[in-house]
Amino acid sequence: MCDQTFVAATFGPCECCGKASPLMNIYIKTEAINYCSFCVEVMACAGLTAGESVASLKKESETLKKKLEEERGKLSDIELNQVAEKVEVLGALAIKTRRVLKGHGNKVLCMDWCKDKRRIDGKVIVWDAFTLNKEHGLNLPCTWVMACAYAPSGCAVACGGLDNKCSVFPLSLDKNENLNAKKKSVAMHTNYVSGCTFTSSDMQLLTSSGDGTCALWDVESGQLLQSFHGHTADVLSLDLAPSETGNTFVSGGSDRKSNIWDMRSGQNVQSFESHESDINCVKYYPSGDAFASASDDATCRFFDLRADREVAVYQKDSVIFGASTLDFSLSGRLLFAGYNDYTINVWDVLKGTRASILFGHENRVSRVRVSPDGTALCSASWDNTLRIWS
Amino acid sequence: MSSKMQSSSSMAQARLMVQQLRMEARFEGIKVSKASSDLMRYCGEHAKNEPLLMGIPTSENPFKDKKPCTVL
């Protein structure tokens, strides 16, 4: 007859649908379930894994997390720097500034090398690194360009920033041509674009954004091919795995986590959380089996993907400013990291010690990149210049 | 209003987190000693070709300072 009337001891928000209504106090496996009558029926009919509630899920996630920690702990039989004791100590590095590129009217936030190692692109200027000539100049409608990347063919550049978009500009040798006219908006995010990179071809673009997601776009049509959800705060950086190791990339964000993603499925395959503050930059090790991250907690950390854990921390008591950028040398032995105290620290990746400090910039170092052939390092800074070191 | 939304979305969030953790738990890792020795081997193999490490003779360094020369 009337199955809606029952004696209810409590009234309040239902744990399932959230509506305030008389709650049926029932117990499933000694756990109190406070659902309204409708939800209890739904639960009974749907044959849910009985007793699934926020509380039981939380418990399960706690036990899973503990299990993961244990498994990771079992793998940690030795420290990287202990294994590396057999390696020869690095000799003194003779690296100094060879070029200073002035021409930006404001802070330089990002730069990228071209495959043929001669041109660098920094906040809309394409330079020839040897002769210091400016080859192209682009004007963007947005005031802050936070990410830029060279296409593998060298024929286009992608840049994005506070305009929430990432646009691709084809480059031409004709200096008179207005490059802005050929601009194509490819990526559309709901917050600033923090990083971008082309994948193996000129046709696909991977972007990371302040809206907490990363996305893969088709350049020609502007279509979203895959999106990557999982970060719980702004994604500040991303890096593509070196080509031999397949379709994965790493991203780091303000939620202090760095995640490894499979580009085809959109799945988050591995996650690392050991930094104490925002991760500003992530970069793969040249072999593709590891990556490093630079953070506002003044440390850079090295994570091995196959051992699924952090294997080294690069820090010193005297280094108290956040690291905003990093890059590996060609062999992976050296790690160059740019800091907010205007210096670049060069770390010995294997031994965990600092090999050298590079002074010269007069403001924060916003980006460091080693040239594709490994002969030089370029650093971009808030002092409006780029420096080439070798 | 917000508390009602929270209780149903926290359910969904908790479910997603458990699914993600279940997937991560299936991961088979290798020992750090093996991973470290592989990293060292990679460095060793490539260090010979590394200009920033080995240093290039100034004559070959494309970035070396060019001394101005005057033609008399």
Side-chain angles (χ1 to χ4, degrees):
Chain A
M1 312 299 204
C2 183
D3 58 355
Q4 288 302 308
T5 49
F6 54 90
V7 177
T10 56
F11 183 96
C14 164
E15 270 173 26
C16 183
C17 66
K19 287 203 283 279
S21 51
L23 300 177
M24 300 188 76
N25 305 111
I26 55 175
Y27 283 80
I28 298 181
K29 287 189 189 155
T30 74
E31 223 190 282
I33 307 289
N34 297 317
Y35 285 176
C36 65
S37 61
F38 180 75
C39 294
V40 168
E41 296 213 64
V42 169
M43 185 173 77
C45 301
L48 271 180
T49 49
E52 197 181 67
S53 67
V54 178
S56 72
L57 284 174
K58 280 215 174 89
K59 246 187 238 145
E60 189 178 349
S61 67
E62 288 304 310
T63 45
L64 279 172
K65 274 190 196 155
K66 272 205 202 89
K67 179 165 177 265
L68 274 173
E69 282 301 312
E70 272 175 31
E71 290 296 313
R72 280 184 178 170
K74 280 188 208 152
L75 297 172
S76 166
D77 54 346
I78 192 172
E79 299 281 324
L80 172 59
N81 53 4
Q82 286 172 311
V83 177
E85 262 161 35
K86 305 182 234 149
V87 176
E88 278 169 30
V89 178
L90 289 173
L93 299 171
I95 300 179
K96 42 188 242 227
T97 307
R98 303 281 174 185
R99 293 277 189 284
V100 181
L101 307 176
K102 297 185 189 172
H104 282 285
N106 212 324
K107 305 186 167 87
V108 186
L109 298 175
C110 54
M111 50 136 289
D112 191 23
W113 286 91
C114 177
K115 278 271 161 61
D116 78 359
K117 74 184 169 37
R118 286 169 58 100
R119 294 177 287 246
I120 324 175
D121 182 21
K123 199 185 178 255
V124 321
I125 301 182
V126 182
W127 308 81
D128 180 312
F130 294 152
T131 65
L132 298 198
N133 287 336
K134 298 195 191 79
E135 291 197 355
H136 299 276
L138 300 168
N139 284 318
L140 285 196
C142 80
T143 46
W144 281 58
V145 175
M146 301 173 71
C148 63
Y150 238 109
S153 66
C155 298
V157 289
C159 14
L162 285 184
D163 58 354
N164 296 1
K165 291 193 286 207
C166 196
S167 312
V168 176
F169 296 80
L171 296 174
S172 75
L173 293 171
D174 179 1
K175 290 215 170 43
N176 294 331
E177 206 167 339
N178 182 5
L179 291 168
N180 281 310
K182 296 253 188 87
K183 165 181 118 161
K184 182 184 266 178
S185 288
V186 173
M188 307 280 276
H189 278 280
T190 53
N191 208 329
Y192 64 90
V193 172
S194 54
C196 67
T197 180
F198 283 89
T199 58
S200 48
S201 72
D202 279 15
M203 287 296 100
Q204 289 185 349
L205 190 66
L206 194 56
T207 57
S208 62
S209 167
D211 63 12
T213 68
C214 300
L216 182 66
W217 310 85
D218 177 85
V219 173
E220 196 54 49
S221 62
Q223 204 193 359
L224 173 66
L225 297 171
Q226 183 67 266
S227 70
F228 307 90
H229 296 262
H231 277 286
T232 51
D234 301 16
V235 184
L236 297 177
S237 172
L238 60 76
D239 188 36
L240 206 54
S243 47
E244 307 98 50
T245 46
N247 298 327
T248 58
F249 72 95
V250 61
S251 67
S254 295
D255 56 357
R256 297 176 267 145
K257 288 211 287 224
S258 29
N259 294 332
I260 307 283
W261 308 86
D262 179 318
M263 285 206 292
R264 278 171 294 204
S265 66
Q267 272 277 28
N268 174 5
V269 292
Q270 276 176 275
S271 183
F272 301 88
E273 185 164 11
S274 60
H275 272 291
E276 291 158 20
S277 186
D278 298 10
I279 296 178
N280 294 316
C281 187
V282 289
K283 201 81 179 53
Y284 264 99
Y285 186 76
S287 71
D289 289 327
F291 72 94
S293 52
S295 163
D296 277 343
D297 65 4
T299 67
C300 294
R301 292 175 198 244
F302 193 40
F303 301 87
D304 188 292
L305 296 179
R306 291 177 311 156
D308 194 33
R309 57 175 295 117
E310 171 192 288
V311 290
V313 184
Y314 307 107
Q315 63 187 347
K316 248 180 135 63
D317 291 338
S318 52
V319 178
I320 53 171
F321 282 82
S324 55
T325 175
L326 52 69
D327 199 5
F328 283 101
S329 65
L330 205 59
S331 68
R333 183 69 196 273
L334 301 175
L335 179 66
F336 297 93
Y339 291 75
N340 294 340
D341 63 358
Y342 317 169
T343 65
I344 299 172
N345 284 325
V346 187
W347 300 92
D348 179 330
V349 171
L350 300 177
K351 291 197 183 282
T353 54
R354 181 167 64 184
S356 181
I357 322 179
L358 304 178
F359 294 101
H361 276 295
E362 290 157 19
N363 207 322
R364 289 194 193 188
V365 180
S366 53
R367 181 81 95 220
V368 292
R369 278 284 176 269
V370 174
S371 67
D373 63 354
T375 51
L377 172 75
C378 182
S379 56
S381 163
W382 284 21
D383 66 3
N384 305 359
T385 68
L386 293 132
R387 276 176 191 254
I388 306 208
W389 312 76
S390 82
Chain B
M1 186 64 202
S2 53
S3 58
K4 288 176 206 166
M5 300 298 282
Q6 264 166 20
S7 60
S8 48
S9 66
S10 66
M11 177 79 160
Q13 264 174 4
R15 216 182 258 138
L16 275 174
M17 179 137 84
V18 168
Q19 274 171 355
Q20 176 68 21
L21 286 170
R22 273 189 202 144
M23 197 204 59
E24 283 183 28
R26 283 187 228 127
F27 185 87
E28 309 240 329
I30 63 171
K31 287 216 183 288
V32 172
S33 51
K34 166 94 175 51
S36 311
S37 54
D38 284 347
L39 289 171
M40 270 170 47
R41 194 163 32 90
Y42 185 90
C43 275
E45 278 166 11
H46 291 82
K48 307 183 263 300
N49 306 329
E50 162 88 75
L52 287 169
L53 207 51
M54 301 284 112
I56 359 178
T58 345
S59 50
E60 282 170 40
N61 186 349
F63 289 106
K64 74 162 192 273
D65 305 314
K66 295 185 175 55
K67 297 220 169 18
C69 62
T70 47
V71 178
L72 295 166

